[in-house]
Amino acid sequence: SGRSGSGSRWIDVDIGSQRVFAMEGDKRVRELVASTGIDRYPTITGSFRVYVKHPKADMRGVDMGVPWYFPDVPHVMYFFRGYGIHGTYWHEQFGTPMSHGCINLSKSDAEWLYEFSQVGTLVNIHY
């Protein structure tokens, strides 16, 4: 696959429809069903760039005083602080807000988007 046109690749996240669109210029290459942040932990909106990619990463945090921990989260792409797009193995409720602010995808969709993207890829998030 030629990487010459990779600069035109970007990721469009529509929180309202719980969809992630892999974009090439103004063309939708692929539509993925996502789960973004719940009301208590909303997904941040704005334009960001992927700053690091991890084939696997551990995630942990605290929700209402209760610690949570997910080991070996697959295909993680962080775009702002602890906000990322990643594969999800602990739920199947894609299309419904479920996360602590991250953008959850199925494992296969996350793997595909991980390969589509690179460090520096634009992530545009809106309602």
Side-chain angles (χ1 to χ4, degrees), residues 49-53 77-83 119-121:
R49 291 194 179 272
V50 173
Y51 69 83
V52 68
K53 293 173 62 173
M77 297 189 291
Y78 284 113
F79 55 83
F80 180 75
R81 294 185 187 157
Y83 290 91
V119 170
T121 294

Side-chain angles (χ1 to χ4, degrees), residues 1-7 9 53 114-119 121:
S1 66
R3 306 293 287 153
S4 57
S6 61
R9 290 183 174 190
K53 293 173 62 173
Y114 187 92
E115 297 301 326
F116 173 85
S117 310
Q118 56 195 24
V119 170
T121 294

Side-chain angles (χ1 to χ4, degrees), residues 31-117:
E31 175 179 337
L32 312 171
V33 183
S35 289
T36 61
I38 58 175
D39 288 345
R40 203 162 63 238
Y41 301 103
T43 298
I44 195 167
T45 56
S47 290
F48 310 93
R49 291 194 179 272
V50 173
Y51 69 83
V52 68
K53 293 173 62 173
H54 299 292
K56 279 194 174 137
D58 294 350
M59 292 191 174
R60 64 187 76 229
V62 178
D63 184 1
M64 307 292 280
V66 180
W68 55 268
Y69 171 60
F70 296 120
D72 291 335
V73 177
H75 299 106
V76 181
M77 297 189 291
Y78 284 113
F79 55 83
F80 180 75
R81 294 185 187 157
Y83 290 91
I85 303 172
H86 58 76
T88 307
Y89 56 75
W90 53 91
H91 77 77
E92 295 284 334
Q93 281 96 5
F94 302 104
T96 306
M98 290 289 295
S99 82
H100 293 89
C102 285
I103 296 154
N104 295 181
L105 295 172
S106 72
K107 293 187 297 258
S108 58
D109 283 354
E111 181 177 10
W112 185 90
L113 194 64
Y114 187 92
E115 297 301 326
F116 173 85
S117 310

